[in-house]
Structure formats: structure tokens, C-alpha cells
Amino acid sequence: MTVPDRPSQHAKADAFRALHADPAGFLIPNPWDAGTARLLEHLGFRALASTSAGFSFGRGHADRSVPRGPLLAHLTELAAATALPVSADLENGFGDAPATVAETIRLAAAAGMVGGSIEDATGRADAPLYDIPFAAERIRAAVEAARALPFPFTLTARAENFFIGRGDLADTIRRLQAYQEAGADVLFAPGLSRTEDIATLLREVDRPVNVLLGAPGMTADAPTLFAMGVRRVSVGGSLARAALGAFLRAATELRDRGTTDYTREAMSGKELNRLFG
């Protein structure tokens, strides 16, 4: 897989912004290392997004436990591996303060990212979500940092209610409306699974909406979501989890039976060398 000549970061950013303007919508899968990014590019996807879960699992850590420095090094590697636009999962910006969130946006851009998402989850069990006014202030700081860049960085604001188990659609909508007013380019409520809830959200906001495909209880597929008006569909850490599941099944077979039947579904070294060569 010979890596093509790289478009400029500005060109990648323009291409990424244009995808969100297309009412047909687009899939944005989530690689967790340079190899998977290149394979997804080979398959013809038009943009990629990092996954904090997949990256953390690959390092042998739980999700959201890798510091900002190693994550930025990972993002630099992803951006260098592919000619596609890459958007970053920036968790909650790696700090409470709006200034810290703004700094994270600038650092992600310096790593080669053309977009990124900021969550409203605190990471604290006693108060898992930021209050809406402060959460919106954090998004506003991220937007200001993004607008100061020499290319159109696409800022995604995430409402985490459903993802942390608080299924309050009205609060989710209030949050995303506040983030819209703060200037977010894309809105995202991971964990939404019912098509009627997604349809309600789409009616209540006027920014492109990202939906996480495969949330527990979700029956809709990507074509259905696009037909509803969803502009972007991602898969989070599910590709990484699928790969790790296959690895564990293969390793368990090796341990328990001493056989390598798993190689029947494995890619050949010759094919991988051809793709990555």
C-alpha cells in the first residue's frame, strides 16, 4: 500500500468540512494505530477519526486513562500515516478549565488533526457532567482556538448523558443547543440508540449530527441514519474491540488446543506486505 502524496493540512480540512455539507452523509471509521488507518484508507473511506478507547486498549490501559502527551504522539502518527482527513477524540480536553481545552485544540492541530471532539463529561463519579453554562464556556473556548487556526478546524461538541447511563433526552438536547450557540460545527450524543430519539434531536438542532453506530439497543444501520438526516456516522472503539476479540479467541485456541485454525481467517503476510509496501 504505497502512501500517496500528502495533501496539505488545509486541503484535508477543506475536504473534511465539505463532507459535512453533503446531505448524503458519510461514514467515519475509527482506527487505533497507523496500520489500521492505512487499511481503512485502502478500503476507500473518505475520513477517519481516532478512538480514545481503541488507543488505550492497544496500550494495555482502560479507556480515558492515557495522558495528553502520549495521545498527541499517537495523533501525530495517525496524521502521518494517511492522506485522509483525521479528526481526534480529545475526550474532555484533558482539563476542566476552558483555557486547557483551547490549548488541547491547538496541540491537536499541531499534531496534524483537522477536527476534534470535546466531551462534557468530567470523569468524576460524584459529578459526572459539567453544568451546561460551564460546558458551553468550554466549547466556546475550543471554538475560539479553532477559529484562530490557519485552516477550518471542525469542532465537534459531545453531550455524554446517554453514554454515562443518564438517558435524559431533554437535557441532551439542551446541552447540544447550548454548544451549537457556542459555535460548535458538529453535534454528537454518543449512546443514543432509539431512532425516535435521534429524529427528535435532528429536529431540535441546526448543525450536522454525528451518531455512534452500534450503541446498545440500536437497530438502525448507517443507510437508515443517513436517510433520517444524520450527516456523520462513527463506530468508536468497536473495530478495535472486534480485533482484540479475534486475538483472544485465537490465543485461547492456541492455549487450550495447541492448534492454529484461526489462521484460516487471518490475512496472509504476503497480502499485508503488498498493502503496506
Side-chain angles (χ1 to χ4, degrees), residues 10 27 45 72 90 107 118 146 188 225 244 257 260:
H10 202 301
L27 281 162
F45 290 100
L72 290 167
L90 298 172
L107 291 170
I118 297 294
F188 184 16
L225 293 170
L244 291 170
R257 294 165 45 197
T260 57

Side-chain angles (χ1 to χ4, degrees), residues 119-195:
E119 305 169 358
D120 59 6
T122 66
R124 296 187 293 273
D126 59 330
L129 296 172
Y130 296 109
D131 291 338
I132 292 177
F134 185 62
E137 183 181 348
R138 286 162 36 85
I139 294 300
R140 191 171 297 109
V143 169
E144 290 173 358
R147 298 294 178 266
L149 296 169
F151 61 88
F153 188 98
T154 298
L155 195 284
T156 299
R158 292 176 44 150
E160 300 294 296
N161 307 59
F162 280 78
F163 212 49
I164 65 169
R166 294 188 172 185
D168 186 339
L169 181 62
D171 187 59
T172 295
I173 290 171
R174 285 192 294 269
R175 287 175 176 275
L176 291 179
Q177 288 175 335
Y179 307 156
Q180 173 179 292
E181 291 303 311
D185 300 302
V186 180
L187 304 174
F188 184 16
L192 277 183
S193 60
R194 300 188 337 145
T195 54

Side-chain angles (χ1 to χ4, degrees), residues 50-251:
S50 73
T51 159
S52 65
F55 173 59
S56 298
F57 298 155
R59 289 173 61 91
H61 295 287
D63 190 13
R64 298 177 59 93
S65 64
V66 178
R68 187 170 68 177
L71 174 69
L72 290 167
H74 165 63
L75 296 178
T76 300
E77 183 180 55
L78 282 184
T82 176
L84 296 179
V86 184
S87 184
D89 177 351
L90 298 172
E91 302 182 17
N92 74 346
F94 294 92
D96 296 331
T100 302
V101 177
E103 180 185 40
T104 295
I105 295 297
R106 290 190 289 268
L107 291 170
M113 299 293 101
V114 299
S117 62
I118 297 294
E119 305 169 358
D120 59 6
T122 66
R124 296 187 293 273
D126 59 330
L129 296 172
Y130 296 109
D131 291 338
I132 292 177
F134 185 62
E137 183 181 348
R138 286 162 36 85
I139 294 300
R140 191 171 297 109
V143 169
E144 290 173 358
R147 298 294 178 266
L149 296 169
F151 61 88
F153 188 98
T154 298
L155 195 284
T156 299
R158 292 176 44 150
E160 300 294 296
N161 307 59
F162 280 78
F163 212 49
I164 65 169
R166 294 188 172 185
D168 186 339
L169 181 62
D171 187 59
T172 295
I173 290 171
R174 285 192 294 269
R175 287 175 176 275
L176 291 179
Q177 288 175 335
Y179 307 156
Q180 173 179 292
E181 291 303 311
D185 300 302
V186 180
L187 304 174
F188 184 16
L192 277 183
S193 60
R194 300 188 337 145
T195 54
E196 52 264 48
D197 290 344
I198 295 168
T200 299
L201 172 61
L202 290 168
R203 290 193 297 269
E204 297 296 329
V205 299
D206 63 7
R207 295 287 191 280
V209 169
N210 184 101
V211 168
L212 178 67
L213 190 64
M218 178 178 284
T219 58
D221 56 17
T224 299
L225 293 170
F226 293 142
M228 292 172 59
V230 172
R231 289 292 176 87
R232 193 174 85 186
V233 170
S234 58
V235 295
S238 63
L239 288 173
R241 290 186 285 106
L244 291 170
F247 174 84
L248 279 176
R249 287 190 295 274

